[in-house]
Amino acid sequence: MMTYTEYTGEYTSTKFRSNTIYSYKIYVPQVETEKPFALLVTHDGLNEGEAAAMAKLAETGEAPYCVIIGLGGEYMKPTRPDGYLRGMRFNDYDIYAPDYVNFIIEDFIPYATDKYALNISDNPDMHMISGGSSGGISAWNGVWFRNDYFRRVYMSSPTFSAMARGNMLPVQIRLFETKPVRAYIDWSENEPDDYFGSSYCAALEGKMALEFAGYDYEWDYHPGEG
């Protein structure tokens, strides 16, 4: 089984998320090749299951070898001695806006590429972004606002709900031209049902919007799971 070289650390945003600190883990395939690698960016840290799956697919030739970048743990330090750390996940993931994906593309990836000499393809068709729940809607923000860079997306139970205008996205998917994006979306039967909406209904509405707009997508539903 293919193995990875692992890099970990923390990065303080300087351009788009001033003074927000991110933890990161980066996997680089241990294979001899002069070809640039594809790229997978995951939310809430590096998803080990996805890393194992991508390694298996690369070895069978069904997917390219890819550098995997996991970002998470975003927080701001207190500005007074008796203050508290402020988690920034909601501000990054849930809001219908391009700020976080701009941070990834224009701030963090150039930093990581330079620091670790990452050989990443320039082809946006070789760049995927993925996440679950709030990370799922953030992953869609990635391909929606910046399909000049990300054109592959995996969303697991994406929170297309009214938490922070995410309920606008299925409507926007229907109204605007179809983006050059390939998508995979899945969700379960026992999803959260909160004051800002039903996650089950939100994911289903997202799936139906992709179908209506003619996206190249696949979907999977998991009855009895949560």
mmCIF file of all heavy atoms in Angstrom, residues 83-130:
data_model
loop_
_atom_site.group_PDB
_atom_site.id
_atom_site.type_symbol
_atom_site.label_atom_id
_atom_site.label_comp_id
_atom_site.label_asym_id
_atom_site.label_seq_id
_atom_site.Cartn_x
_atom_site.Cartn_y
_atom_site.Cartn_z
ATOM 1 N N GLY A 83 -9.360 36.850 28.492
ATOM 2 C CA GLY A 83 -10.230 36.467 27.385
ATOM 3 C C GLY A 83 -10.161 34.983 27.063
ATOM 4 O O GLY A 83 -9.421 34.219 27.688
ATOM 5 N N TYR A 84 -10.950 34.580 26.083
ATOM 6 C CA TYR A 84 -11.051 33.179 25.669
ATOM 7 C C TYR A 84 -10.669 33.035 24.195
ATOM 8 O O TYR A 84 -10.781 33.976 23.407
ATOM 9 C CB TYR A 84 -12.478 32.665 25.860
ATOM 10 C CG TYR A 84 -12.947 32.654 27.288
ATOM 11 C CD1 TYR A 84 -13.608 33.760 27.825
ATOM 12 C CD2 TYR A 84 -12.727 31.555 28.105
ATOM 13 C CE1 TYR A 84 -14.044 33.758 29.138
ATOM 14 C CE2 TYR A 84 -13.152 31.536 29.426
ATOM 15 C CZ TYR A 84 -13.815 32.646 29.936
ATOM 16 O OH TYR A 84 -14.234 32.634 31.240
ATOM 17 N N LEU A 85 -10.223 31.830 23.845
ATOM 18 C CA LEU A 85 -10.014 31.524 22.446
ATOM 19 C C LEU A 85 -11.350 31.596 21.714
ATOM 20 O O LEU A 85 -12.388 31.187 22.249
ATOM 21 C CB LEU A 85 -9.422 30.125 22.277
ATOM 22 C CG LEU A 85 -8.003 29.877 22.801
ATOM 23 C CD1 LEU A 85 -7.621 28.432 22.585
ATOM 24 C CD2 LEU A 85 -7.010 30.798 22.123
ATOM 25 N N ARG A 86 -11.326 32.100 20.502
ATOM 26 C CA ARG A 86 -12.540 32.200 19.704
ATOM 27 C C ARG A 86 -12.438 31.243 18.519
ATOM 28 O O ARG A 86 -11.601 31.409 17.644
ATOM 29 C CB ARG A 86 -12.731 33.625 19.195
ATOM 30 C CG ARG A 86 -13.965 33.781 18.307
ATOM 31 C CD ARG A 86 -14.109 35.209 17.808
ATOM 32 N NE ARG A 86 -15.242 35.332 16.909
ATOM 33 C CZ ARG A 86 -15.565 36.443 16.254
ATOM 34 N NH1 ARG A 86 -14.827 37.536 16.411
ATOM 35 N NH2 ARG A 86 -16.604 36.478 15.448
ATOM 36 N N GLY A 87 -13.279 30.214 18.511
ATOM 37 C CA GLY A 87 -13.321 29.292 17.384
ATOM 38 C C GLY A 87 -13.886 29.983 16.159
ATOM 39 O O GLY A 87 -14.879 30.704 16.248
ATOM 40 N N MET A 88 -13.270 29.733 14.997
ATOM 41 C CA MET A 88 -13.654 30.433 13.775
ATOM 42 C C MET A 88 -14.264 29.502 12.728
ATOM 43 O O MET A 88 -14.435 29.888 11.574
ATOM 44 C CB MET A 88 -12.431 31.144 13.187
ATOM 45 C CG MET A 88 -11.842 32.220 14.088
ATOM 46 S SD MET A 88 -12.995 33.569 14.399
ATOM 47 C CE MET A 88 -12.984 34.368 12.795
ATOM 48 N N ARG A 89 -14.635 28.281 13.122
ATOM 49 C CA ARG A 89 -15.175 27.318 12.156
ATOM 50 C C ARG A 89 -16.438 27.846 11.487
ATOM 51 O O ARG A 89 -16.596 27.764 10.267
ATOM 52 C CB ARG A 89 -15.457 25.992 12.855
ATOM 53 C CG ARG A 89 -15.929 24.876 11.917
ATOM 54 C CD ARG A 89 -16.149 23.589 12.699
ATOM 55 N NE ARG A 89 -16.452 22.456 11.847
ATOM 56 C CZ ARG A 89 -17.667 22.133 11.440
ATOM 57 N NH1 ARG A 89 -18.702 22.884 11.807
ATOM 58 N NH2 ARG A 89 -17.858 21.074 10.668
ATOM 59 N N PHE A 90 -17.359 28.367 12.287
ATOM 60 C CA PHE A 90 -18.603 28.887 11.729
ATOM 61 C C PHE A 90 -18.313 30.000 10.726
ATOM 62 O O PHE A 90 -18.873 30.039 9.631
ATOM 63 C CB PHE A 90 -19.508 29.404 12.849
ATOM 64 C CG PHE A 90 -20.718 30.151 12.355
ATOM 65 C CD1 PHE A 90 -21.864 29.466 11.989
ATOM 66 C CD2 PHE A 90 -20.710 31.534 12.257
ATOM 67 C CE1 PHE A 90 -22.986 30.145 11.532
ATOM 68 C CE2 PHE A 90 -21.818 32.226 11.798
ATOM 69 C CZ PHE A 90 -22.959 31.527 11.429
ATOM 70 N N ASN A 91 -17.429 30.919 11.092
ATOM 71 C CA ASN A 91 -17.118 32.051 10.226
ATOM 72 C C ASN A 91 -16.488 31.613 8.910
ATOM 73 O O ASN A 91 -16.689 32.254 7.875
ATOM 74 C CB ASN A 91 -16.168 33.010 10.937
ATOM 75 C CG ASN A 91 -16.727 33.524 12.248
ATOM 76 O OD1 ASN A 91 -16.824 32.770 13.213
ATOM 77 N ND2 ASN A 91 -17.087 34.796 12.308
ATOM 78 N N ASP A 92 -15.730 30.532 8.941
ATOM 79 C CA ASP A 92 -15.083 30.045 7.730
ATOM 80 C C ASP A 92 -16.004 29.170 6.892
ATOM 81 O O ASP A 92 -16.052 29.305 5.666
ATOM 82 C CB ASP A 92 -13.835 29.237 8.095
ATOM 83 C CG ASP A 92 -12.651 30.116 8.471
ATOM 84 O OD1 ASP A 92 -12.658 31.306 8.119
ATOM 85 O OD2 ASP A 92 -11.726 29.600 9.126
ATOM 86 N N TYR A 93 -16.732 28.248 7.539
ATOM 87 C CA TYR A 93 -17.408 27.186 6.806
ATOM 88 C C TYR A 93 -18.842 27.507 6.389
ATOM 89 O O TYR A 93 -19.261 27.176 5.284
ATOM 90 C CB TYR A 93 -17.443 25.903 7.651
ATOM 91 C CG TYR A 93 -16.126 25.214 7.861
ATOM 92 C CD1 TYR A 93 -14.918 25.805 7.483
ATOM 93 C CD2 TYR A 93 -16.082 23.958 8.443
ATOM 94 C CE1 TYR A 93 -13.717 25.158 7.688
ATOM 95 C CE2 TYR A 93 -14.883 23.294 8.649
ATOM 96 C CZ TYR A 93 -13.697 23.906 8.273
ATOM 97 O OH TYR A 93 -12.501 23.255 8.484
ATOM 98 N N ASP A 94 -19.615 28.092 7.276
ATOM 99 C CA ASP A 94 -21.064 28.122 7.079
ATOM 100 C C ASP A 94 -21.583 29.297 6.264
ATOM 101 O O ASP A 94 -22.704 29.247 5.766
ATOM 102 C CB ASP A 94 -21.774 28.116 8.439
ATOM 103 C CG ASP A 94 -21.661 26.770 9.129
ATOM 104 O OD1 ASP A 94 -22.340 25.823 8.698
ATOM 105 O OD2 ASP A 94 -20.874 26.662 10.083
ATOM 106 N N ILE A 95 -20.822 30.337 6.136
ATOM 107 C CA ILE A 95 -21.313 31.546 5.491
ATOM 108 C C ILE A 95 -21.185 31.427 3.972
ATOM 109 O O ILE A 95 -20.143 31.025 3.450
ATOM 110 C CB ILE A 95 -20.545 32.776 6.010
ATOM 111 C CG1 ILE A 95 -20.791 32.936 7.517
ATOM 112 C CG2 ILE A 95 -20.965 34.043 5.276
ATOM 113 C CD1 ILE A 95 -19.959 34.014 8.176
ATOM 114 N N TYR A 96 -22.250 31.765 3.274
ATOM 115 C CA TYR A 96 -22.273 31.735 1.813
ATOM 116 C C TYR A 96 -21.423 32.887 1.295
ATOM 117 O O TYR A 96 -21.907 33.991 1.083
ATOM 118 C CB TYR A 96 -23.727 31.837 1.334
ATOM 119 C CG TYR A 96 -23.905 31.993 -0.159
ATOM 120 C CD1 TYR A 96 -23.169 31.229 -1.055
ATOM 121 C CD2 TYR A 96 -24.832 32.897 -0.658
ATOM 122 C CE1 TYR A 96 -23.346 31.370 -2.420
ATOM 123 C CE2 TYR A 96 -25.025 33.048 -2.019
ATOM 124 C CZ TYR A 96 -24.272 32.283 -2.894
ATOM 125 O OH TYR A 96 -24.450 32.433 -4.246
ATOM 126 N N ALA A 97 -20.131 32.639 1.119
ATOM 127 C CA ALA A 97 -19.180 33.687 0.741
ATOM 128 C C ALA A 97 -17.884 33.025 0.270
ATOM 129 O O ALA A 97 -17.602 31.879 0.615
ATOM 130 C CB ALA A 97 -18.894 34.607 1.930
ATOM 131 N N PRO A 98 -17.067 33.754 -0.503
ATOM 132 C CA PRO A 98 -15.830 33.175 -1.036
ATOM 133 C C PRO A 98 -14.601 33.345 -0.147
ATOM 134 O O PRO A 98 -13.511 32.910 -0.525
ATOM 135 C CB PRO A 98 -15.638 33.954 -2.339
ATOM 136 C CG PRO A 98 -16.186 35.305 -2.028
ATOM 137 C CD PRO A 98 -17.355 35.068 -1.094
ATOM 138 N N ASP A 99 -14.746 33.953 1.029
ATOM 139 C CA ASP A 99 -13.573 34.334 1.814
ATOM 140 C C ASP A 99 -12.673 33.152 2.158
ATOM 141 O O ASP A 99 -11.441 33.239 2.027
ATOM 142 C CB ASP A 99 -14.010 35.032 3.110
ATOM 143 C CG ASP A 99 -14.839 36.270 2.855
ATOM 144 O OD1 ASP A 99 -15.877 36.144 2.184
ATOM 145 O OD2 ASP A 99 -14.476 37.351 3.350
ATOM 146 N N TYR A 100 -13.269 32.057 2.633
ATOM 147 C CA TYR A 100 -12.441 30.946 3.091
ATOM 148 C C TYR A 100 -11.723 30.263 1.933
ATOM 149 O O TYR A 100 -10.536 29.916 2.039
ATOM 150 C CB TYR A 100 -13.282 29.940 3.871
ATOM 151 C CG TYR A 100 -12.471 28.799 4.435
ATOM 152 C CD1 TYR A 100 -11.456 29.031 5.356
ATOM 153 C CD2 TYR A 100 -12.716 27.484 4.050
ATOM 154 C CE1 TYR A 100 -10.695 27.988 5.869
ATOM 155 C CE2 TYR A 100 -11.965 26.432 4.567
ATOM 156 C CZ TYR A 100 -10.956 26.688 5.473
ATOM 157 O OH TYR A 100 -10.205 25.647 5.973
ATOM 158 N N VAL A 101 -12.429 30.056 0.819
ATOM 159 C CA VAL A 101 -11.763 29.414 -0.319
ATOM 160 C C VAL A 101 -10.696 30.333 -0.900
ATOM 161 O O VAL A 101 -9.651 29.863 -1.363
ATOM 162 C CB VAL A 101 -12.771 28.961 -1.388
ATOM 163 C CG1 VAL A 101 -13.438 30.149 -2.083
ATOM 164 C CG2 VAL A 101 -12.076 28.074 -2.424
ATOM 165 N N ASN A 102 -10.909 31.638 -0.844
ATOM 166 C CA ASN A 102 -9.856 32.561 -1.278
ATOM 167 C C ASN A 102 -8.631 32.438 -0.378
ATOM 168 O O ASN A 102 -7.487 32.492 -0.854
ATOM 169 C CB ASN A 102 -10.376 34.001 -1.255
ATOM 170 C CG ASN A 102 -11.317 34.302 -2.403
ATOM 171 O OD1 ASN A 102 -11.332 33.604 -3.414
ATOM 172 N ND2 ASN A 102 -12.124 35.337 -2.243
ATOM 173 N N PHE A 103 -8.875 32.278 0.926
ATOM 174 C CA PHE A 103 -7.759 32.056 1.855
ATOM 175 C C PHE A 103 -6.983 30.795 1.478
ATOM 176 O O PHE A 103 -5.743 30.789 1.449
ATOM 177 C CB PHE A 103 -8.284 31.946 3.286
ATOM 178 C CG PHE A 103 -7.374 31.173 4.203
ATOM 179 C CD1 PHE A 103 -6.170 31.705 4.622
ATOM 180 C CD2 PHE A 103 -7.731 29.897 4.623
ATOM 181 C CE1 PHE A 103 -5.320 30.973 5.448
ATOM 182 C CE2 PHE A 103 -6.894 29.168 5.445
ATOM 183 C CZ PHE A 103 -5.682 29.707 5.870
ATOM 184 N N ILE A 104 -7.702 29.711 1.182
ATOM 185 C CA ILE A 104 -7.044 28.452 0.829
ATOM 186 C C ILE A 104 -6.173 28.623 -0.411
ATOM 187 O O ILE A 104 -4.997 28.241 -0.435
ATOM 188 C CB ILE A 104 -8.088 27.346 0.588
ATOM 189 C CG1 ILE A 104 -8.817 26.991 1.886
ATOM 190 C CG2 ILE A 104 -7.414 26.091 0.007
ATOM 191 C CD1 ILE A 104 -9.985 26.035 1.682
ATOM 192 N N ILE A 105 -6.752 29.223 -1.448
ATOM 193 C CA ILE A 105 -6.078 29.294 -2.744
ATOM 194 C C ILE A 105 -4.962 30.332 -2.761
ATOM 195 O O ILE A 105 -3.873 30.080 -3.293
ATOM 196 C CB ILE A 105 -7.113 29.601 -3.850
ATOM 197 C CG1 ILE A 105 -8.111 28.441 -3.983
ATOM 198 C CG2 ILE A 105 -6.413 29.866 -5.189
ATOM 199 C CD1 ILE A 105 -9.304 28.763 -4.862
ATOM 200 N N GLU A 106 -5.232 31.498 -2.199
ATOM 201 C CA GLU A 106 -4.314 32.615 -2.370
ATOM 202 C C GLU A 106 -3.396 32.857 -1.173
ATOM 203 O O GLU A 106 -2.430 33.625 -1.283
ATOM 204 C CB GLU A 106 -5.116 33.883 -2.678
ATOM 205 C CG GLU A 106 -5.932 33.760 -3.959
ATOM 206 C CD GLU A 106 -6.761 34.987 -4.242
ATOM 207 O OE1 GLU A 106 -6.354 36.093 -3.839
ATOM 208 O OE2 GLU A 106 -7.834 34.847 -4.863
ATOM 209 N N ASP A 107 -3.682 32.204 -0.073
ATOM 210 C CA ASP A 107 -2.889 32.416 1.139
ATOM 211 C C ASP A 107 -2.186 31.131 1.554
ATOM 212 O O ASP A 107 -0.951 31.055 1.575
ATOM 213 C CB ASP A 107 -3.808 32.925 2.252
ATOM 214 C CG ASP A 107 -3.047 33.539 3.421
ATOM 215 O OD1 ASP A 107 -1.831 33.352 3.515
ATOM 216 O OD2 ASP A 107 -3.687 34.205 4.256
ATOM 217 N N PHE A 108 -2.972 30.074 1.867
ATOM 218 C CA PHE A 108 -2.345 28.893 2.444
ATOM 219 C C PHE A 108 -1.603 28.038 1.426
ATOM 220 O O PHE A 108 -0.474 27.597 1.689
ATOM 221 C CB PHE A 108 -3.366 28.027 3.176
ATOM 222 C CG PHE A 108 -2.715 26.851 3.860
ATOM 223 C CD1 PHE A 108 -2.042 27.026 5.052
ATOM 224 C CD2 PHE A 108 -2.700 25.596 3.271
ATOM 225 C CE1 PHE A 108 -1.384 25.973 5.675
ATOM 226 C CE2 PHE A 108 -2.052 24.533 3.876
ATOM 227 C CZ PHE A 108 -1.401 24.712 5.084
ATOM 228 N N ILE A 109 -2.200 27.745 0.293
ATOM 229 C CA ILE A 109 -1.541 26.858 -0.671
ATOM 230 C C ILE A 109 -0.212 27.431 -1.158
ATOM 231 O O ILE A 109 0.783 26.685 -1.243
ATOM 232 C CB ILE A 109 -2.490 26.508 -1.833
ATOM 233 C CG1 ILE A 109 -3.598 25.562 -1.324
ATOM 234 C CG2 ILE A 109 -1.729 25.857 -2.992
ATOM 235 C CD1 ILE A 109 -4.629 25.190 -2.352
ATOM 236 N N PRO A 110 -0.122 28.728 -1.466
ATOM 237 C CA PRO A 110 1.211 29.259 -1.819
ATOM 238 C C PRO A 110 2.232 29.100 -0.696
ATOM 239 O O PRO A 110 3.401 28.783 -0.950
ATOM 240 C CB PRO A 110 0.930 30.736 -2.116
ATOM 241 C CG PRO A 110 -0.498 30.764 -2.547
ATOM 242 C CD PRO A 110 -1.176 29.732 -1.708
ATOM 243 N N TYR A 111 1.782 29.298 0.552
ATOM 244 C CA TYR A 111 2.676 29.104 1.693
ATOM 245 C C TYR A 111 3.149 27.653 1.767
ATOM 246 O O TYR A 111 4.357 27.383 1.886
ATOM 247 C CB TYR A 111 1.946 29.483 2.980
ATOM 248 C CG TYR A 111 2.522 28.850 4.228
ATOM 249 C CD1 TYR A 111 3.664 29.360 4.835
ATOM 250 C CD2 TYR A 111 1.913 27.726 4.794
ATOM 251 C CE1 TYR A 111 4.199 28.764 5.971
ATOM 252 C CE2 TYR A 111 2.439 27.129 5.929
ATOM 253 C CZ TYR A 111 3.579 27.644 6.514
ATOM 254 O OH TYR A 111 4.108 27.051 7.639
ATOM 255 N N ALA A 112 2.214 26.702 1.700
ATOM 256 C CA ALA A 112 2.576 25.288 1.825
ATOM 257 C C ALA A 112 3.415 24.821 0.644
ATOM 258 O O ALA A 112 4.365 24.044 0.814
ATOM 259 C CB ALA A 112 1.310 24.445 1.945
ATOM 260 N N THR A 113 3.077 25.285 -0.550
ATOM 261 C CA THR A 113 3.834 24.898 -1.742
ATOM 262 C C THR A 113 5.276 25.334 -1.623
ATOM 263 O O THR A 113 6.210 24.582 -1.956
ATOM 264 C CB THR A 113 3.186 25.519 -2.997
ATOM 265 O OG1 THR A 113 1.853 25.013 -3.134
ATOM 266 C CG2 THR A 113 3.979 25.161 -4.240
ATOM 267 N N ASP A 114 5.485 26.538 -1.148
ATOM 268 C CA ASP A 114 6.850 27.055 -0.993
ATOM 269 C C ASP A 114 7.590 26.366 0.147
ATOM 270 O O ASP A 114 8.746 25.956 -0.010
ATOM 271 C CB ASP A 114 6.790 28.561 -0.755
ATOM 272 C CG ASP A 114 8.185 29.182 -0.622
ATOM 273 O OD1 ASP A 114 8.935 29.156 -1.608
ATOM 274 O OD2 ASP A 114 8.506 29.676 0.477
ATOM 275 N N LYS A 115 6.932 26.186 1.287
ATOM 276 C CA LYS A 115 7.601 25.626 2.468
ATOM 277 C C LYS A 115 7.993 24.163 2.262
ATOM 278 O O LYS A 115 9.074 23.726 2.695
ATOM 279 C CB LYS A 115 6.691 25.753 3.695
ATOM 280 C CG LYS A 115 7.327 25.246 4.991
ATOM 281 C CD LYS A 115 6.436 25.500 6.187
ATOM 282 C CE LYS A 115 7.043 24.974 7.485
ATOM 283 N NZ LYS A 115 8.292 25.681 7.840
ATOM 284 N N TYR A 116 7.107 23.382 1.605
ATOM 285 C CA TYR A 116 7.347 21.943 1.498
ATOM 286 C C TYR A 116 7.664 21.506 0.065
ATOM 287 O O TYR A 116 7.671 20.304 -0.215
ATOM 288 C CB TYR A 116 6.134 21.182 2.030
ATOM 289 C CG TYR A 116 5.837 21.497 3.471
ATOM 290 C CD1 TYR A 116 4.701 22.232 3.812
ATOM 291 C CD2 TYR A 116 6.696 21.110 4.494
ATOM 292 C CE1 TYR A 116 4.412 22.546 5.139
ATOM 293 C CE2 TYR A 116 6.428 21.416 5.820
ATOM 294 C CZ TYR A 116 5.288 22.141 6.133
ATOM 295 O OH TYR A 116 5.009 22.460 7.452
ATOM 296 N N ALA A 117 7.901 22.470 -0.828
ATOM 297 C CA ALA A 117 8.254 22.175 -2.226
ATOM 298 C C ALA A 117 7.241 21.212 -2.849
ATOM 299 O O ALA A 117 7.602 20.193 -3.454
ATOM 300 C CB ALA A 117 9.666 21.609 -2.308
ATOM 301 N N LEU A 118 5.969 21.533 -2.710
ATOM 302 C CA LEU A 118 4.903 20.680 -3.230
ATOM 303 C C LEU A 118 4.806 20.822 -4.747
ATOM 304 O O LEU A 118 4.770 21.936 -5.277
ATOM 305 C CB LEU A 118 3.557 21.056 -2.592
ATOM 306 C CG LEU A 118 3.488 21.004 -1.068
ATOM 307 C CD1 LEU A 118 2.106 21.429 -0.593
ATOM 308 C CD2 LEU A 118 3.833 19.612 -0.556
ATOM 309 N N ASN A 119 4.754 19.696 -5.412
ATOM 310 C CA ASN A 119 4.642 19.688 -6.878
ATOM 311 C C ASN A 119 3.184 19.412 -7.245
ATOM 312 O O ASN A 119 2.798 18.277 -7.504
ATOM 313 C CB ASN A 119 5.571 18.623 -7.465
ATOM 314 C CG ASN A 119 5.579 18.643 -8.981
ATOM 315 O OD1 ASN A 119 5.182 19.624 -9.616
ATOM 316 N ND2 ASN A 119 6.019 17.552 -9.579
ATOM 317 N N ILE A 120 2.367 20.470 -7.263
ATOM 318 C CA ILE A 120 0.931 20.342 -7.485
ATOM 319 C C ILE A 120 0.585 20.806 -8.894
ATOM 320 O O ILE A 120 1.059 21.838 -9.361
ATOM 321 C CB ILE A 120 0.144 21.175 -6.455
ATOM 322 C CG1 ILE A 120 0.400 20.644 -5.042
ATOM 323 C CG2 ILE A 120 -1.343 21.154 -6.759
ATOM 324 C CD1 ILE A 120 -0.206 21.500 -3.956
ATOM 325 N N SER A 121 -0.270 20.048 -9.555
ATOM 326 C CA SER A 121 -0.703 20.382 -10.902
ATOM 327 C C SER A 121 -1.394 21.744 -10.935
ATOM 328 O O SER A 121 -2.092 22.130 -9.996
ATOM 329 C CB SER A 121 -1.665 19.309 -11.420
ATOM 330 O OG SER A 121 -2.267 19.708 -12.637
ATOM 331 N N ASP A 122 -1.238 22.461 -12.044
ATOM 332 C CA ASP A 122 -1.928 23.728 -12.242
ATOM 333 C C ASP A 122 -3.333 23.547 -12.821
ATOM 334 O O ASP A 122 -4.095 24.508 -12.912
ATOM 335 C CB ASP A 122 -1.122 24.628 -13.197
ATOM 336 C CG ASP A 122 0.198 25.082 -12.603
ATOM 337 O OD1 ASP A 122 0.273 25.245 -11.365
ATOM 338 O OD2 ASP A 122 1.155 25.269 -13.379
ATOM 339 N N ASN A 123 -3.670 22.336 -13.203
ATOM 340 C CA ASN A 123 -4.947 22.055 -13.860
ATOM 341 C C ASN A 123 -6.084 22.032 -12.834
ATOM 342 O O ASN A 123 -6.068 21.197 -11.920
ATOM 343 C CB ASN A 123 -4.853 20.707 -14.571
ATOM 344 C CG ASN A 123 -6.092 20.373 -15.377
ATOM 345 O OD1 ASN A 123 -7.121 21.060 -15.297
ATOM 346 N ND2 ASN A 123 -6.021 19.309 -16.147
ATOM 347 N N PRO A 124 -7.085 22.915 -12.940
ATOM 348 C CA PRO A 124 -8.183 22.913 -11.956
ATOM 349 C C PRO A 124 -8.986 21.617 -11.943
ATOM 350 O O PRO A 124 -9.618 21.297 -10.933
ATOM 351 C CB PRO A 124 -9.042 24.111 -12.376
ATOM 352 C CG PRO A 124 -8.684 24.375 -13.784
ATOM 353 C CD PRO A 124 -7.253 23.988 -13.932
ATOM 354 N N ASP A 125 -8.964 20.858 -13.044
ATOM 355 C CA ASP A 125 -9.637 19.563 -13.057
ATOM 356 C C ASP A 125 -8.929 18.549 -12.169
ATOM 357 O O ASP A 125 -9.473 17.477 -11.889
ATOM 358 C CB ASP A 125 -9.714 19.015 -14.482
ATOM 359 C CG ASP A 125 -10.675 19.810 -15.359
ATOM 360 O OD1 ASP A 125 -11.583 20.451 -14.807
ATOM 361 O OD2 ASP A 125 -10.506 19.779 -16.590
ATOM 362 N N MET A 126 -7.736 18.869 -11.724
ATOM 363 C CA MET A 126 -6.959 17.988 -10.845
ATOM 364 C C MET A 126 -7.029 18.443 -9.391
ATOM 365 O O MET A 126 -6.284 17.950 -8.548
ATOM 366 C CB MET A 126 -5.502 17.962 -11.302
ATOM 367 C CG MET A 126 -5.298 17.404 -12.690
ATOM 368 S SD MET A 126 -5.345 15.601 -12.716
ATOM 369 C CE MET A 126 -3.659 15.249 -12.198
ATOM 370 N N HIS A 127 -7.927 19.373 -9.092
ATOM 371 C CA HIS A 127 -8.057 19.907 -7.731
ATOM 372 C C HIS A 127 -9.435 19.581 -7.171
ATOM 373 O O HIS A 127 -10.457 19.973 -7.740
ATOM 374 C CB HIS A 127 -7.874 21.425 -7.726
ATOM 375 C CG HIS A 127 -6.552 21.876 -8.243
ATOM 376 N ND1 HIS A 127 -6.316 23.178 -8.657
ATOM 377 C CD2 HIS A 127 -5.368 21.210 -8.418
ATOM 378 C CE1 HIS A 127 -5.067 23.295 -9.078
ATOM 379 N NE2 HIS A 127 -4.473 22.113 -8.932
ATOM 380 N N MET A 128 -9.482 18.877 -6.041
ATOM 381 C CA MET A 128 -10.738 18.506 -5.391
ATOM 382 C C MET A 128 -10.778 19.086 -3.980
ATOM 383 O O MET A 128 -9.753 19.211 -3.318
ATOM 384 C CB MET A 128 -10.896 16.986 -5.325
ATOM 385 C CG MET A 128 -12.222 16.537 -4.716
ATOM 386 S SD MET A 128 -12.599 14.793 -4.987
ATOM 387 C CE MET A 128 -11.528 14.014 -3.788
ATOM 388 N N ILE A 129 -11.981 19.421 -3.533
ATOM 389 C CA ILE A 129 -12.189 19.915 -2.173
ATOM 390 C C ILE A 129 -13.346 19.123 -1.587
ATOM 391 O O ILE A 129 -14.317 18.804 -2.276
ATOM 392 C CB ILE A 129 -12.450 21.437 -2.182
ATOM 393 C CG1 ILE A 129 -12.523 21.983 -0.760
ATOM 394 C CG2 ILE A 129 -13.680 21.800 -3.003
ATOM 395 C CD1 ILE A 129 -12.476 23.515 -0.698
ATOM 396 N N SER A 130 -13.245 18.765 -0.296
ATOM 397 C CA SER A 130 -14.264 17.903 0.288
ATOM 398 C C SER A 130 -14.541 18.294 1.732
ATOM 399 O O SER A 130 -13.716 18.930 2.395
ATOM 400 C CB SER A 130 -13.825 16.432 0.231
ATOM 401 O OG SER A 130 -12.790 16.187 1.161
#
